Amino acid sequence: MWKEKKTHNKYLLKLKQSNHVLKYGCFGIKSLSFSRLTKNQLNALKWIILKKIKLVTNNKKNIRFWTLLSLNLALTKLNIESRMGKGKGSVYTHAVYVRPGMILFEFDNLTEQQMQNLFNYILKKISFKVKLTK
């Protein structure tokens, strides 16, 4: 469901669905603070989670895992030697801003004990505050 909001100009500001409730799985990881995740950080988190899921479940079940973040911010950088007034730099990576209450990842077909072990492992790897939601 799209929400339309009028801004000060003639263009409409279209907001996506709310991302503070679970949509797909039984468990989720929710952020509690503001942060910024780059493409490399997000890919590393996905890789760590998939690796830990394989260890926790011993490959017995078909575990489902969703990433609900989309990289919607292009980060640019100019050379160090360039002078002022030479325009915007080239894109060096993409990122996403994380707000408090956003669901980052969702999981399904995990027991509560397995999810708690996975969450404790992820908690050490993420640089901002998160909590486990059911």
Side-chain angles (χ1 to χ4, degrees):
M1 169 134 310
W2 291 88
K3 296 178 186 175
E4 293 184 0
K5 198 177 196 181
K6 202 72 163 158
T7 59
H8 68 280
N9 53 18
K10 63 182 178 177
Y11 302 107
L12 291 175
L13 178 66
K14 293 192 175 181
L15 302 172
K16 284 189 178 178
Q17 283 183 334
S18 61
N19 51 1
H20 64 279
V21 291
L22 293 175
K23 295 177 191 167
Y24 306 110
C26 298
F27 298 101
I29 295 179
K30 183 185 276 194
S31 73
L32 295 177
S33 61
F34 288 97
S35 181
R36 185 178 79 181
L37 282 176
T38 63
K39 184 198 276 186
N40 294 339
Q41 290 172 327
L42 189 61
N43 288 339
L45 271 175
K46 284 182 197 177
W47 186 79
I48 286 168
I49 289 171
L50 288 172
K51 185 177 171 187
K52 190 65 176 176
I53 283 176
K54 288 179 183 175
L55 289 174
V56 167
T57 60
N58 299 326
N59 294 330
K60 291 180 181 173
K61 292 183 188 175
N62 52 344
I63 306 302
R64 300 182 69 184
F65 163 62
W66 294 271
T67 305
L68 302 178
L69 298 174
S70 61
L71 301 168
N72 55 5
L73 182 70
L75 301 178
T76 60
K77 186 187 282 187
L78 267 174
N79 292 341
I80 297 171
E81 300 91 22
S82 64
R83 292 187 178 181
M84 298 282 283
K86 298 298 181 189
K88 195 170 184 177
S90 59
V91 174
Y92 72 97
T93 188
H94 292 277
V96 60
Y97 278 117
V98 178
R99 295 188 309 268
M102 283 178 70
I103 302 285
L104 308 177
F105 305 106
E106 288 192 26
F107 304 91
D108 200 15
N109 297 339
L110 278 171
T111 64
E112 197 161 342
Q113 182 64 39
Q114 289 172 337
M115 189 61 216
Q116 192 62 44
N117 290 341
L118 179 63
F119 177 71
N120 289 337
Y121 184 73
I122 293 170
L123 194 61
K124 298 172 188 170
K125 303 291 181 184
I126 292 183
S127 62
F128 52 95
K129 293 182 180 179
V130 291
K131 78 172 188 176
L132 183 64
T133 58
K134 299 178 191 174

